[in-house]
Amino acid sequence: MTGSSARECSIANALAVVGERWSLLILREVLLGNVRFDAIAAATGGSRDILAARLRTLVAAGVLEKRPYSEQPRRHEYVATESGQALQPVLLGLMEWGDRYVTQGPPPTVWEHSCGAELHVAAVCAACGSPVGAGRSRLVRLGGVDQD
Amino acid sequence: MTGSSARECSIANALAVVGERWSLLILREVLLGNVRFDAIAAATGGSRDILAARLRTLVAAGVLEKRPYSEQPRRHEYVATESGQALQPVLLGLMEWGDRYVTQGPPPTVWEHSCGAELHVAAVCAACGSPVGAGRSRLVRLGGVDQD
DNA sequence: CTGCTGAGTTGGATAATCCAACTCAGTGGC
DNA sequence: GCCACTGAGTTGGATTATCCAACTCAGCAG
């Protein structure tokens, strides 16, 4: 948060919540159903101290919820709130991009959509349903920092 | 890259390239047309040394391209490659999520789609065009780390 | 000769991350 | 009762990364 004169922007705001290292990988695991601390630690490869810190901030930000699944012994699991579930398209978009431009070889993870096809996400305009992409949109209002 | 037993995954691979602080904000500015170093520094609010480092890694990763726009004096600009442009849906997804769950008040940045409507992105299945979301997809193959 | 712009570097302080080992509470085995 | 084990973290110390202001260097502009 260097924050004095930077552009006011929901991308930056979003990244302030989920943009730190491990946050999105934690969310990936939670959405995959890996909801216990040790499972998250094993699957992400992150060290336990920062994972604990991230889980705290994600819970505080309302992205995850910490739910006890047993008293005596006290045990909890982390589940995605509505806000956390709403990040699934972002994760799938990153996966799609990673599959295409980063990962060597075939995609390590493959999903099937309810329609039966192998899942690949596309970003479309919510109003008309046609693709969103370079040259298909125009800036109406831009937050902070005057621009050309 | 703690990397020994973590899940093999294109989300993690993608984040290894664009998941560090400032990377996606740099890309935001470049896609907005803010392609000069000083402009990026001003609009993101990041310090010049890490921005220089990030620009180097983004160029090395093929997300941005460093192009001279003048010799004598030597000046360059950064432009998004195809790979960089392919990240636009991810940025718009983050913006959408930030607008809804993080930013207080009205969205600071507003786009208009070529169809005339205010732009809101939706993630859909590329094959059938219907929404992607909770419960609408099934795991076919999962990289690394055995799971329930 | 001095100052300005663009595109970064450099140095030093501060903060975040990594890693292994440790804690603590409750169970299960013997 | 004693030992080991599981789940969910903490703690300490070393290593990196980030922040910030100030500096460089080249080519003009006055």
Side-chain angles (χ1 to χ4, degrees):
Chain A
M1 263 132 276
T2 324
S4 46
S5 67
R7 190 191 299 289
E8 190 196 342
C9 160
S10 284
I11 298 175
N13 295 345
L15 289 172
V17 175
V18 295
E20 287 171 301
R21 218 182 157 188
W22 306 111
S23 295
L24 287 176
L25 293 180
I26 288 173
L27 196 66
R28 173 194 74 186
E29 289 307 316
V30 169
L31 292 176
L32 281 171
N34 255 338
V35 293
R36 300 186 320 287
F37 187 87
D38 280 19
I40 293 169
T44 60
S47 38
R48 313 169 69 74
D49 53 352
I50 38 166
L51 292 178
R54 289 293 176 279
L55 285 166
R56 258 194 300 274
T57 65
L58 289 173
V59 167
V63 174
L64 299 182
E65 195 184 346
K66 186 175 183 172
R67 266 209 322 230
Y69 66 87
S70 136
E71 306 283 336
Q72 315 301 341
R74 221 158 203 300
R75 294 290 138 83
H76 355 78
E77 60 187 9
Y78 293 90
V79 293
T81 61
E82 185 203 323
S83 159
Q85 287 176 18
L87 277 167
Q88 201 175 11
V90 172
L91 287 175
L92 289 170
L94 277 170
M95 190 179 78
E96 198 75 32
W97 183 80
D99 280 343
R100 186 152 5 209
Y101 294 102
V102 186
T103 303
Q104 313 276 7
T109 301
V110 179
W111 295 82
E112 185 186 281
H113 190 241
S114 50
C115 73
E118 193 174 289
L119 179 63
H120 292 282
V121 285
V124 301
C125 169
C128 74
S130 69
V132 161
R136 288 177 187 276
S137 44
R138 188 176 69 78
L139 211 47
V140 173
R141 183 155 43 86
L142 181 60
V145 181
D146 291 327
Q147 204 218 353
D148 40 308
Chain B
M1 261 135 281
T2 324
S4 46
S5 67
R7 190 191 297 293
E8 190 195 344
C9 161
S10 284
I11 298 176
N13 296 344
L15 289 173
V17 175
V18 295
E20 286 169 302
R21 218 184 156 188
W22 307 112
S23 295
L24 287 176
L25 294 180
I26 288 173
L27 195 68
R28 174 195 73 186
E29 290 307 315
V30 169
L31 292 176
L32 282 171
N34 255 338
V35 293
R36 301 187 318 287
F37 186 88
D38 279 20
I40 293 169
T44 59
S47 37
R48 311 171 70 75
D49 54 351
I50 39 166
L51 292 178
R54 288 294 177 278
L55 285 165
R56 257 194 301 275
T57 65
L58 289 173
V59 167
V63 174
L64 298 182
E65 196 183 344
K66 185 176 185 173
R67 266 212 316 234
Y69 66 86
S70 138
E71 306 283 337
Q72 315 305 332
R74 220 157 202 300
R75 294 290 138 83
H76 354 79
E77 60 186 9
Y78 293 91
V79 292
T81 61
E82 185 203 325
S83 159
Q85 287 175 17
L87 276 167
Q88 202 175 10
V90 172
L91 286 176
L92 289 170
L94 277 170
M95 190 179 77
E96 198 74 33
W97 183 80
D99 280 343
R100 187 155 0 213
Y101 295 102
V102 186
T103 303
Q104 311 278 8
T109 301
V110 180
W111 296 82
E112 185 185 281
H113 190 241
S114 52
C115 73
E118 191 174 290
L119 179 62
H120 292 282
V121 284
V124 300
C125 170
C128 73
S130 68
V132 160
R136 286 176 187 278
S137 44
R138 187 176 69 79
L139 211 48
V140 173
R141 183 154 41 86
L142 180 61
V145 181
D146 291 327
Q147 204 218 355
D148 39 308

